[in-house]
Amino acid sequence: MHAADDRVADTGPVRRNCSPGGVALIVFALAFAIGAAVVVWDHLARRHHEQVFAHLASHNAEVVLTVDERFRAYRMLLRGGQAFLRAGDEVDLAAWRTYLQRLTFQEDYPGVQGIGFTQWILPGQLEAHTRAMRALGNAEYRVWPEGPRRFLSSIVVLEPADWRNVRAIGFDMYSEPVRRDAMNRAVLSGEAALTGKTTLVQETETDVQAGVLLYMPVFGDGMPIATEAERWIALRGWVYMPFRMARLMQHMLQQHPEQIRMQVFDRVESPESLLYDSHPGLSAAGTGLVSTGSAILGGVEWIVRLEALPAFEADPDVRQAEFVSVVLVGILLVLTALFFSITRERATQLARTSESLRRSEAKYSALVNLAHDGIAATDADFRLTFVNPGFVQLVGLDEAKLLGRALDELWGEGGSESRERILAHLGKGESKRYELRMTRGDGATLTVLASLAPLTDGWGRMKGVIALLSDISERKEAEQRIAHMATHDILTGAVNRLMFGELLAYSLAQARRAGHEFALLFIDLDHFKQVNDELGHHAGDLLLCEAVRRMQGSIRSSDTLGRRGGDEFVVLLPEIGSAKDAETVAEKIRAAIERPFMLEGREACVSSSIGIALYPEDGKDEDELMCRADAAMYRAKLSGRNRACRVC
């Protein structure tokens, strides 16, 4: 009771004798602390918003790249069909249907509704065309819709011939304005042309999806096509692909996160031009964060709009908030100590404040000592005066060997700017961040992120430096793995389609500049499907990996092996002396693949069909060379497999 009475008696006079100036100081301190907290939290909120938007924009760029890469592959597939159909004077529909049935395009290019050929019918040829098609076995064949038109077209082949695609046989696509526009652009440019938004004739009354079609013109072999008039005279039809948009996008973007709504528009953002919506019927319940990108596909711009849904929001940066809170509490304690220093109970309040400061210092010391990152302080000459345990563990040296040593000696010469430049920047009050390579005391090499901030005295003069070192070695290794995965096939390690295309374009530019030849080999493994069916897909994967190792051992270090998909590979020989060099390499590969494969104790045998294309003899651009090599490979298969051929 007496102790309690004494405490009450001690605090009473303080309240009675508190001056107006002291009250004003308390109000000012509280207002300052609250204002500082509001400013800091607002800054953190903006920073968090920027990070989320940057993540969303990065995902948008990845989606646009994926869409563009996939349509490059579709265009290449149509190029192969164009080259096949131009091989003769007349279009051989039976051979074309057989060619499509042997392709594994639905496995290698999921999302494609089909590949077909629509024939160009000149005025007065309709009856003869109908008789010819019925003579091929389709007794009910007719061109539709009926009605007088000057020019006609008709879908004569569309594989796979499932129930949806059979509905389209005989349809005159040239009669529909959206399709006609793309077909005209394809003829005028000689390149692939994409339609705008339309509805495929394959659609039924249920699950109706927006559709687009990709056309590639087919001209008569050897006929001139330099002018617009010559192209229309030489035109035989179009090889084309129809796409149902929802099915296409779902296969193209299998890893698309559910917390992002993706919409694809045809040229303009409007409900009428909407091609695809990952969350159809979803009301406006997003976060307001939207990223928009675009891709030009076959002469048509697609707008990709990504909207972050509420689940996309990341957690707040709690560590920064705690740090700011500690700083604000420290400021409030200093102001409180100043207030109590002018009261009658100065000594008592100073003692209490000192105890609080001691507790704060102990807490700060515990946080610094327990931190995994390295924290250090230096004097004005950049020599270490303090290191925490995390710093000692990071550099692998005892504390006694570190104190008094210059900080920049730890990362050696060439690690960053010179010591003089670093101190000059810090002396101006500027913080610095460096990514450095550091050798630990045990000889291990680390990649660290060094953050330096000036430590000043009461007059603003720099008296030292605070350094924070974070080990980012694992992050850098992860970045390197990601970079490798972006350019190489995950299963086999061979160069992927996108990277191979860039290397082929570079070799083409070098060959044009230097005037030398190079070769492109197109390799398809024979009987690989039989291995998958009999031994299982795991055995098939093992065979592909071993086949890549054998092919790598058959080419030079300057040559490049790439995987196109499935059991198809391509080899780039960037410089050869003659066609004999390419044939020699092809024979090495053929012989290496022909040897039996041992797959977990079971023997499997495959062979290879290899197509050879030479620059500039067989083609003068990437597409033409790839098409010629593909056609040569197909010729090797038709000639009995297990051989290398060139297109004659």
Side-chain angles (χ1 to χ4, degrees):
M1 289 297 294
H2 292 292
D5 292 342
D6 290 342
R7 285 195 295 272
V8 172
D10 287 342
T11 57
V14 175
R15 289 193 296 269
R16 287 194 302 270
N17 294 290
C18 187
S19 65
V23 175
L25 190 58
I26 291 177
V27 174
F28 171 76
L30 292 174
F32 176 80
I34 294 173
V38 171
V39 170
V40 170
W41 277 110
D42 180 67
H43 170 74
L44 290 177
R46 288 199 305 270
R47 180 177 174 182
H48 176 65
H49 185 278
E50 291 170 357
Q51 290 174 343
V52 173
F53 180 78
H55 185 192
L56 187 66
S58 175
H59 188 73
N60 193 312
E62 181 181 349
V63 169
V64 170
L65 180 62
T66 300
V67 172
D68 183 70
E69 180 183 352
R70 181 60 64 88
F71 269 85
R72 286 177 181 268
Y74 294 153
R75 187 184 68 177
M76 187 69 70
L77 193 57
L78 290 182
R79 281 282 190 193
Q82 182 191 52
F84 182 89
L85 291 172
R86 290 183 64 178
D89 295 334
E90 297 294 335
V91 175
D92 188 342
L93 297 182
W96 170 240
R97 182 178 289 105
T98 301
Y99 171 78
L100 292 180
Q101 290 171 350
R102 291 182 178 180
L103 286 178
T104 58
F105 66 89
Q106 287 195 308
E107 298 177 9
D108 298 332
Y109 305 95
V112 177
Q113 180 64 29
I115 303 178
F117 177 70
T118 182
Q119 188 167 342
W120 182 235
I121 304 172
L122 295 175
Q125 295 182 348
L126 177 59
E127 292 185 4
H129 168 78
T130 302
R131 287 194 303 270
M133 290 301 300
R134 290 178 177 176
L136 292 177
N138 188 351
E140 298 180 357
Y141 174 83
R142 64 185 181 88
V143 177
W144 58 281
E146 298 179 351
R149 295 183 295 278
R150 183 180 179 187
F151 295 103
L152 299 170
S153 71
S154 177
I155 300 174
V156 293
V157 176
L158 182 56
E159 291 291 336
D162 55 25
W163 66 272
R164 280 190 183 274
N165 288 340
V166 168
R167 293 163 56 93
I169 297 299
F171 177 58
D172 177 10
M173 292 192 285
Y174 202 73
S175 66
E176 195 272 317
V178 175
R179 293 172 172 82
R180 183 169 60 248
D181 173 70
M183 296 164 80
N184 287 339
R185 285 189 286 109
V187 174
L188 295 179
S189 65
E191 300 292 337
L194 187 68
T195 70
K197 177 182 179 181
T198 187
T199 301
L200 302 181
V201 296
Q202 288 95 323
E203 295 295 340
T204 61
E205 296 180 357
T206 60
D207 188 26
V208 178
Q209 301 178 15
V212 295
L213 301 97
L214 187 64
Y215 294 96
M216 182 75 74
V218 176
F219 302 109
D221 190 35
M223 299 185 70
I225 54 173
T227 66
E228 178 181 343
E230 289 175 343
R231 290 191 185 97
W232 284 109
I233 294 173
L235 181 65
R236 295 294 178 265
W238 295 264
V239 58
Y240 80 103
M241 289 182 181
F243 303 95
R244 303 177 75 219
M245 282 300 299
R247 182 170 180 265
L248 171 67
M249 300 305 293
Q250 288 165 2
H251 283 89
M252 192 180 296
L253 304 169
Q254 294 180 356
Q255 303 300 322
H256 181 68
E258 285 297 322
Q259 62 268 37
I260 297 178
R261 180 183 190 180
M262 184 176 76
Q263 295 174 302
V264 180
F265 297 91
D266 175 15
R267 286 168 276 206
V268 295
E269 288 190 46
S270 67
E272 295 77 15
S273 62
L274 180 63
L275 291 170
Y276 172 72
D277 190 343
S278 63
H279 294 72
L282 180 66
S283 60
T287 63
L289 287 174
V290 174
S291 177
T292 303
S294 65
I296 304 298
L297 308 170
V300 173
E301 180 184 22
W302 277 10
I303 298 175
V304 179
R305 181 182 185 272
L306 298 189
E307 179 182 5
L309 300 179
F312 189 74
E313 289 284 355
D315 294 333
D317 195 336
V318 177
R319 291 178 298 175
Q320 293 190 29
E322 290 178 347
F323 175 75
V324 172
S325 299
V326 171
V327 172
L328 293 178
V329 169
I331 294 173
L332 185 57
L333 289 174
V334 171
L335 294 175
T336 303
L338 178 62
F339 166 72
F340 282 115
S341 68
I342 63 174
T343 65
R344 292 182 181 181
E345 299 295 327
R346 179 182 302 174
T348 302
Q349 297 306 324
L350 282 176
R352 294 176 181 173
T353 304
S354 299
E355 181 62 23
S356 297
L357 290 175
R358 281 193 295 273
R359 289 196 300 268
S360 297
E361 183 179 356
K363 184 185 298 184
Y364 170 79
S365 298
L367 289 173
V368 171
N369 290 329
L370 292 175
H372 293 291
D373 291 335
I375 301 174
T378 76
D379 58 16
D381 295 327
F382 218 39
R383 299 191 177 278
L384 291 167
T385 59
F386 167 81
V387 291
N388 75 331
F391 191 98
V392 173
Q393 184 176 4
L394 180 68
V395 301
L397 294 173
D398 294 336
E399 181 178 355
K401 295 181 180 180
L402 290 171
L403 296 180
R405 186 175 181 178
L407 178 60
D408 58 335
E409 291 179 5
L410 297 177
W411 51 74
E413 296 181 359
S416 66
E417 296 177 312
S418 65
R419 185 187 310 174
E420 292 74 19
R421 289 181 60 85
I422 293 174
L423 292 176
H425 282 299
L426 296 174
K428 298 177 183 178
E430 302 172 358
S431 299
K432 299 294 292 182
R433 288 166 64 89
Y434 299 98
E435 187 174 301
L436 307 165
R437 296 290 291 175
M438 174 185 293
T439 302
R440 286 171 42 88
D442 58 4
T445 302
L446 303 177
T447 302
V448 299
L449 181 64
S451 301
L452 307 179
L455 183 64
T456 59
D457 58 19
W459 290 271
R461 295 175 300 189
M462 189 179 75
K463 64 177 183 179
V465 177
I466 297 295
L468 175 65
L469 270 61
S470 302
D471 185 1
I472 59 172
S473 302
E474 292 184 0
R475 190 185 78 187
K476 297 298 292 183
E477 292 174 0
E479 291 174 355
Q480 293 173 0
R481 288 195 298 270
I482 292 172
H484 184 272
M485 290 170 62
T487 57
H488 291 74
D489 178 58
I490 295 176
L491 174 63
T492 64
V495 170
N496 65 15
R497 181 192 300 269
L498 181 61
M499 186 62 183
F500 189 89
E502 294 178 0
L503 293 175
L504 177 57
Y506 176 79
S507 295
L508 183 63
Q510 291 292 101
R512 288 172 177 167
R513 186 180 300 111
H516 63 71
E517 295 180 277
F518 71 87
L520 181 66
L521 310 184
F522 198 114
I523 305 166
D524 184 87
L525 301 184
D526 305 321
H527 312 299
F528 175 74
K529 185 177 184 300
Q530 182 178 349
V531 174
N532 267 344
D533 293 341
E534 295 178 358
L535 303 183
H537 288 283
H538 176 65
D541 290 345
L542 294 177
L543 188 148
L544 288 176
C545 294
E546 176 61 24
V548 166
R549 284 192 288 270
R550 294 185 185 183
M551 287 188 282
Q552 291 282 19
S554 303
I555 62 178
R556 303 168 299 182
S557 59
S558 59
D559 303 333
T560 301
L561 171 65
R563 184 186 182 193
R564 290 184 56 80
D567 58 345
E568 291 185 344
F569 299 86
V570 281
V571 173
L572 175 63
L573 309 177
E575 186 170 357
I576 59 173
S578 66
K580 185 66 177 178
D581 294 342
E583 294 169 359
T584 300
V585 174
E587 176 57 25
K588 287 182 179 179
I589 293 174
R590 188 204 64 77
I593 299 299
E594 187 181 36
R595 299 197 309 270
F597 290 78
M598 294 302 299
L599 308 175
E600 297 183 333
R602 293 178 293 181
E603 182 177 285
C605 294
V606 298
S607 60
S608 59
S609 296
I610 305 174
I612 303 174
L614 304 180
Y615 171 87
E617 183 178 349
D618 295 331
K620 294 184 172 60
D621 61 37
E622 301 99 298
D623 292 342
E624 189 175 3
L625 284 169
M626 192 65 73
C627 290
R628 297 285 287 181
D630 185 22
M633 180 275 292
Y634 192 73
R635 181 183 173 209
K637 280 190 175 295
L638 294 180
S639 300
R641 296 186 172 89
N642 195 22
R643 67 193 63 215
C645 292
R646 287 184 60 195
V647 174
C648 297

